[in-house]
C-alpha cells in the first residue's frame, strides 16, 4: 500500500500544472492529510463542519482549506474563521449569510456557486436558470465579505463518458455566461471547479481549472 505522500505526488504529476489540485480529505485521518502535505499539496477540501474544524486546528496553518459539502446555515459561523474557499454555495440565503458573517469577523471568503448539472435529483446546487435569474449585478454589488471566484459542478455519477462530457459542458456554459456577463468586471472570477477521481481527465478537457480529488490520493473512504 503506497503512502498518501506517494499517491499525492503521483496524482499531482498527472494533472496539468495550471490546474489547481484540491485534495479531498473527508473521512480520512489528519495523519493522511499530513502525508499529502509533505508531498507539497496545500489545498485540501472537507465536507463536514465538525470534522473540518478539528483538522484545521490540528494541521499546518498554511493549508488552504476548501469547504465542498452542503453547508447548513447554522454551521457558517463555526467554519468561517478556518476556511479560505467555500465551493458549495447553493442558495442565495447561504451566500448572503457567508457575506454578512465574513464582514462581521473582518475576513474575505472566496466562494464558488455550485451549479446542478447532473441528472441525479439528489445533488445540491443552483440550476442554470436560477443562476441567470438570481445572480444579478445588484446582488453582486451588495457583497462585501463573499468574493465570488467561480463555479463548482459535479457530473452525473455514471460510466458513460458522453453523459459526463455533456454535464461538464453545461457547467462550462454557465461559467462562461457569468464571466462574459455579470462577472465581466471581476478579474477574480476565473475558477471552474470540476472533476473528481474518476472523471477529472474529462473535466480538464472541458475547461476545468480546479479538480477535487479524494479517493485517488487517500484511498476508499470508510463511512
Ligand atoms: C467527495 C467529493 C469529491 C472527491 O471525490 P473522489 O471520488 O473521492 O475523488 C469531490 N467533490 C465533492 C463535492 C465531493 O463531495
Amino acid at each position: 500500500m503506497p503512502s498518501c505522500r506517494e499517491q499525492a505526488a503521483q496524482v499531482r504529476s498527472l494533472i496539468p500544472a495550471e490546474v489547481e489540485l484540491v485534495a479531498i480529505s473527508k473521512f480520512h485521518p489528519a495523519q493522511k492529510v499530513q502525508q499529502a502535505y509533505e508531498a507539497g499539496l496545500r489545498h485540501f477540501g472537507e465536507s463536514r463542519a465538525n470534522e473540518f474544524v478539528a483538522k484545521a486546528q490540528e494541521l499546518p496553518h498554511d493549508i488552504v482549506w476548501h469547504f465542498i459539502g452542503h453547508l447548513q446555515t447554522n454551521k457558517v459561523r463555526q467554519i468561517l474563521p478556518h476556511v479560505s474557499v467555500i465551493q458549495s454555495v447553493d442558495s442565495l440565503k447561504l451566500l448572503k449569510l457567508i457575506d454578512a458573517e465574513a464582514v462581521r469577523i473582518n475576513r474575505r471568503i472566496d466562494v464558488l456557486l455550485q451549479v446542478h448539472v447532473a441528472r441525479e435529483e439528489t445533488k445540491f446546487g443552483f440550476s442554470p436558470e436560477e443562476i441567470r435569474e438570481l445572480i444579478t449585478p445588484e446582488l453582486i454589488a451588495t457583497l462585501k465579505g463573499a468574493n465570488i471566484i467561480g463555479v463548482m459542478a459535479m457530473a452525473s455519477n455514471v460510466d458513460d463518458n458522453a453523459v459526463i462530457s455533456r454535464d461538464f459542458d453545461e457547467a462550462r456554459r454557465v461559467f462562461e455566461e457569468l464571466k462574459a456577463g455579470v462577472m465581466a468586471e471581476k478579474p477574480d472570477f476565473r475558477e471552474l471547479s470540476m472533476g473528481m477521481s474518476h472523471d477529472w481527465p474529462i473535466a480538464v478537457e472541458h475547461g476545468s481549472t480546479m479538480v477535487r480529488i479524494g479517493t485517488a490520493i487517500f484511498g476508499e473512504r470508510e463511512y
Side-chain angles (χ1 to χ4, degrees):
M1 176 73 188
S3 84
C4 296
R5 182 176 175 149
E6 284 151 20
Q7 289 297 108
Q10 165 78 0
V11 169
R12 179 63 274 183
S13 72
L14 293 172
I15 294 165
E18 68 277 13
V19 174
E20 190 71 71
L21 168 58
V22 183
I24 305 301
S25 50
K26 64 190 188 196
F27 295 92
H28 293 293
Q31 178 204 354
K32 285 188 167 188
V33 179
Q34 183 67 37
Q35 291 172 0
Y37 177 90
E38 282 160 14
L41 301 193
R42 289 296 178 271
H43 289 252
F44 290 88
E46 286 283 334
S47 62
R48 296 188 306 180
N50 294 344
E51 180 183 350
F52 160 57
V53 171
K55 282 181 188 156
Q57 285 170 337
E58 173 175 354
L59 284 155
H61 290 300
D62 60 343
I63 288 180
V64 179
W65 286 106
H66 296 238
F67 197 86
I68 59 150
H70 176 62
L71 181 57
Q72 289 169 303
T73 50
N74 64 0
K75 302 281 185 178
V76 169
R77 188 167 281 199
Q78 183 190 2
I79 75 161
L80 228 58
H82 309 282
V83 75
S84 294
V85 187
I86 299 176
Q87 297 209 10
S88 43
V89 173
D90 57 6
S91 71
L92 275 197
K93 185 179 172 195
L94 180 59
L95 177 60
K96 289 175 179 171
L97 185 64
I98 292 167
D99 185 63
E101 206 36 46
V103 168
R104 193 184 69 86
I105 65 169
N106 204 16
R107 290 201 67 196
R108 230 163 111 79
I109 305 290
D110 288 342
V111 304
L112 290 95
L113 303 171
Q114 183 172 353
V115 181
H116 177 109
V117 292
R119 308 298 118 168
E120 290 110 42
E121 290 293 326
T122 53
K123 302 245 162 88
F124 291 101
F126 296 99
S127 69
E129 296 73 36
E130 285 171 328
I131 293 277
R132 285 178 202 117
E133 245 170 67
L134 301 175
I135 309 303
T136 60
E138 294 73 31
L139 170 74
I140 290 159
T142 65
L143 299 176
K144 302 278 184 287
N147 183 33
I148 303 178
I149 63 164
V151 161
M152 186 270 262
M154 269 183 277
S156 302
N157 188 15
V158 295
D159 290 328
D160 186 343
N161 286 0
V163 172
I164 295 170
S165 291
R166 186 189 59 194
D167 291 349
F168 286 148
D169 268 341
E170 193 173 347
R172 183 188 199 160
R173 217 164 16 246
V174 172
F175 171 71
E176 298 290 351
E177 240 180 77
L178 286 166
K179 199 170 171 53
V182 289
M183 302 306 290
E185 306 298 317
K186 304 279 185 190
D188 288 353
F189 187 85
R190 55 170 181 248
E191 304 293 350
L192 179 53
S193 171
M194 52 188 203
M196 306 167 41
S197 292
H198 67 287
D199 60 12
W200 71 260
I202 309 173
V204 168
E205 268 174 44
H206 290 266
S208 173
T209 66
M210 187 180 269
V211 294
R212 309 177 309 269
I213 297 189
T215 310
I217 295 172
F218 299 109
E220 294 292 337
R221 287 178 285 275
E222 283 174 38
Y223 294 103

